[in-house]
Amino acid sequence: MLCTAISAALLSALPIWAVAEPLVDCFFIFGDSIVDNGNNNNLVTLAKSDFPPYGIDTPNHRPTGRFTNNRTIADITGELLGFKDYSPPYADSHNANLLPGINYASAAAGIRDETGQHLGGRISFNHQLRNHQDIISRIVNFLGSNESATTHLNKCLYFVGLGNNDYINNYLLPLSYPSSRTYTPDQFAQVLIQQYSEQIKTLYSYGAKKVVLYSLLPIGCAPNEIAKYGTNGALCVENINAQVMLFNSRLRSLVDELNSNFKDANFVYVNLFDLALSAISNPGLFGFKVTNCACCGVGPNNGIACIPLEVPCQNRAEYLFWDAFHPTEASNLIIAQRSYHDQSLNVTYPMDISTLARLQRAS
Ligand SMILES: *[C@@H]1O[C@H](CO)[C@@H](O)[C@H](O)[C@H]1NC(C)=O
Ligand SMILES: *[C@@H]1O[C@H](CO)[C@@H](O)[C@H](O)[C@H]1NC(C)=O
Ligand SMILES: *[C@@H]1O[C@H](CO)[C@@H](O)[C@H](O)[C@H]1NC(C)=O
């Protein structure tokens, strides 16, 4: 399939409703390129986005290290929670006010340490957790005691979204990684969830009480995978999505297990997989016209990133994918809004993010 950029139609900015004071005291973000906001800028890696046309729709039209044209899901979720500023990247935390939260996310990072290594530097989830320990010790110093730091950390919301790269930049690359020869898809999903579960328990032991866990995306629908494997008449590469679903169903069960084992904490599952698939199946309902081609990085191979300085598609609000792997801001808005207010629980389980944020509020 050949993707070509279609033009016309204006970019419509959806208004974001923000509350006067944040619903939670702080917002910490762990993840991959879906929410990286600059942590890879100073790393030696191919997983970078600090060049145009990334960031083309930001107020100053500059790249920031986000893998999209403007805001990420974490940025928009932070706005919905009532934050006026985005949680800064850990890489820029030296002079930052740490109390409202930090973003540790890193493109190409995974649950497994080796994930993404063929691309160069990246900050794995284990490393992100060590960076969080560093921030915690700085918060302890600032607030003067463990107790006050713990009280503060208990009142934060934690965004956790890893695992996409353990497929894209590990299991699905047999020439670079042995995992697909070592494990069947079912075993790999199990091994990943086992490790993820330990990592999430570590985060809990660092004081996290409100944790949002994002499912993997339907990776088989990414323009890069479609260009690589073809879809055989389907909308997406079905066998890749089937592998991803093995992980997602276990992650949902893990949320049940965590909620029953840790009664003083709440864990929420966000089903990005089905939300994205419904947008791909019914693009018009979501305001999209193009769901199988990227807005930038367009070419015979649907390269993994935008080509530096290339001119992207103009009608960005009509595209689900910004580059061959990452959603446009238009998609990020839908995801963030539908997971924040979700009374019918179509996307979130067992409660939506606004309900989680309001729980046990200190008066
Ligand atoms: C980009 O994000 C900013 C907030 O950082 C927002 O004010 C602006 O409207 C967005 N731009 C577009 C074109 O949506
Ligand atoms: C503070 O926390 C650290 C790490 O958890 C621990 O080693 C230390 O003993 C604690 N100090 C106090 C005074 O509780
Ligand atoms: C949620 O799902 C129900 C059916 O399960 C559907 O009728 C409803 O329109 C959905 N709501 C949203 C906001 O998508």
Side-chain angles (χ1 to χ4, degrees):
M1 186 200 60
L2 190 63
C3 294
T4 49
I6 329 172
S7 59
L10 283 172
L11 192 65
S12 63
L14 297 174
I16 287 285
W17 173 82
V19 291
E21 202 172 302
L23 280 179
V24 285
D25 286 14
C26 28
F27 185 36
F28 285 98
I29 297 138
F30 298 83
D32 54 28
S33 55
I34 299 294
V35 289
D36 187 345
N37 65 345
N39 285 306
N40 276 27
N41 289 355
N42 298 321
L43 301 183
V44 179
T45 174
L46 294 173
K48 285 171 101 80
S49 61
D50 53 351
F51 52 85
Y54 288 100
I56 190 171
D57 293 317
T58 58
N60 61 12
H61 311 289
R62 291 237 180 90
T64 60
R66 289 169 174 81
F67 286 74
T68 188
N69 49 318
N70 194 15
R71 287 167 289 181
T72 67
I73 301 168
D75 293 334
I76 301 161
T77 302
E79 288 179 13
L80 290 167
L81 288 166
F83 288 95
K84 293 196 177 62
D85 297 309
Y86 303 129
S87 301
Y90 176 77
D92 297 344
S93 65
H94 323 286
N95 299 312
N97 176 8
L98 306 178
L99 295 184
I102 292 293
N103 183 333
Y104 304 99
S106 166
I111 293 167
R112 290 167 73 87
D113 289 340
E114 83 276 13
T115 287
Q117 69 188 3
H118 73 289
L119 295 170
R122 74 261 166 244
I123 307 159
S124 67
F125 190 21
N126 282 331
H127 194 164
Q128 292 181 32
L129 288 166
R130 292 197 295 277
N131 289 343
H132 188 45
Q133 271 189 303
D134 166 54
I135 292 292
I136 290 174
S137 63
R138 286 153 67 184
I139 290 177
V140 169
N141 280 340
F142 182 78
L143 294 179
S145 74
N146 274 10
E147 291 66 28
S148 48
T150 301
T151 303
H152 180 70
L153 293 166
N154 287 347
K155 291 192 279 188
C156 306
L157 193 79
Y158 297 79
F159 180 122
V160 181
L162 286 120
N164 291 299
N165 287 310
D166 296 290
Y167 287 88
I168 297 168
N169 288 310
N170 188 330
Y171 197 71
L172 297 173
L173 296 180
L175 296 180
S176 306
Y177 300 87
S179 52
S180 62
R181 291 184 294 280
T182 313
Y183 302 112
T184 65
D186 202 57
Q187 287 168 340
F188 188 63
Q190 182 59 35
V191 163
L192 275 185
I193 283 290
Q194 183 55 41
Q195 186 168 359
Y196 207 27
S197 163
E198 293 308 319
Q199 291 161 330
I200 293 159
K201 286 173 193 164
T202 299
L203 180 61
Y204 168 81
S205 78
Y206 297 161
K209 304 264 191 204
K210 296 179 176 184
V211 182
V212 186
L213 297 166
Y214 290 80
S215 82
L216 303 190
L217 289 158
I219 292 165
C221 304
N224 179 280
E225 305 293 352
I226 292 178
K228 212 158 136 190
Y229 299 105
T231 63
N232 206 8
L235 284 173
C236 303
V237 186
E238 299 294 337
N239 70 320
I240 296 181
N241 281 352
Q243 292 176 17
V244 166
M245 285 168 73
L246 296 169
F247 176 93
N248 284 343
S249 62
R250 284 180 170 86
L251 181 59
R252 196 179 188 276
S253 305
L254 177 62
V255 162
D256 280 333
E257 187 191 311
L258 294 166
N259 277 323
S260 61
N261 289 350
F262 303 108
K263 295 284 184 214
D264 62 341
N266 291 87
F267 299 84
V268 162
Y269 174 71
V270 179
N271 187 347
L272 296 183
F273 186 95
D274 285 331
L275 178 57
L277 265 195
S278 50
I280 288 163
S281 313
N282 298 293
L285 284 182
F286 294 80
F288 292 122
K289 291 202 171 132
V290 185
T291 61
N292 56 356
C293 288
C295 173
C296 80
V298 172
N301 298 320
N302 266 307
I304 60 165
C306 301
I307 299 153
L309 298 171
E310 77 167 306
V311 177
C313 72
Q314 289 188 348
N315 46 336
R316 294 184 274 283
E318 296 179 352
Y319 274 69
L320 192 140
F321 284 100
W322 162 248
D323 65 20
F325 281 113
H326 303 104
T328 53
E329 175 183 61
S331 301
N332 290 335
L333 275 164
I334 291 170
I335 292 169
Q337 288 167 335
R338 294 202 182 210
S339 54
Y340 191 74
H341 287 299
D342 183 28
Q343 278 180 327
S344 47
L345 297 178
N346 288 3
V347 178
T348 53
Y349 171 83
M351 69 184 80
D352 66 16
I353 295 176
S354 64
T355 306
L356 176 70
R358 285 189 172 87
L359 286 179
Q360 309 158 354
R361 285 191 70 189
S363 49

